[in-house]
Amino acid sequence: MSSTANVTVEETPLTPAPQREDIQPGRRVRLVNISPASLNGLTGTTQVNAGSRVTRLDVLLDESSTEFLRRDHRVGNTRKVQAPAADVARKLVTRVPNECMFFAENDS
């Protein structure tokens, strides 16, 4: 006894690639996919940039991210980022590419 099964396959709609977020100065962001790796996951506030074409912004890290960076053992292995001094509450990271930032307003 031979039977043929009818199988229907539904097409899976293609999901568009996520659009790059339009990061503006004064927004709370989380750093992702950035080099050096010691900056990944840190949060801070974007700063005003004098340039008219904004593809990179400065980020003022919050106090907890600055403390985390101060204690991160990987910071000593790179020349790109220096460990914050003991008296620095919030470190400024300069010229961070916008594609390495995501909004973090709802992060706790």
Side-chain angles (χ1 to χ4, degrees), residues 32-105:
V32 294
N33 299 327
I34 190 168
S35 176
S38 57
L39 296 176
N40 277 316
L42 300 183
T43 57
T45 306
T46 56
Q47 302 300 297
V48 176
N49 190 336
S52 59
R53 187 169 169 219
V54 182
T55 58
R56 293 176 178 262
L57 290 172
D58 296 346
V59 176
L60 183 62
L61 298 178
D62 53 34
E63 291 180 19
S64 61
S65 291
T66 301
E67 184 62 30
F68 183 83
L69 187 62
R70 184 179 291 118
R71 295 178 183 200
D72 193 338
H73 68 280
R74 297 173 294 179
V75 174
N77 297 335
T78 181
R79 290 179 284 170
K80 292 181 181 179
V81 176
Q82 300 298 319
D87 61 340
V88 174
R90 301 184 74 190
K91 179 170 177 63
L92 182 67
V93 180
T94 58
R95 299 186 40 80
V96 176
N98 285 7
E99 56 268 4
C100 295
M101 299 181 216
F102 285 99
F103 290 125
E105 272 91 9

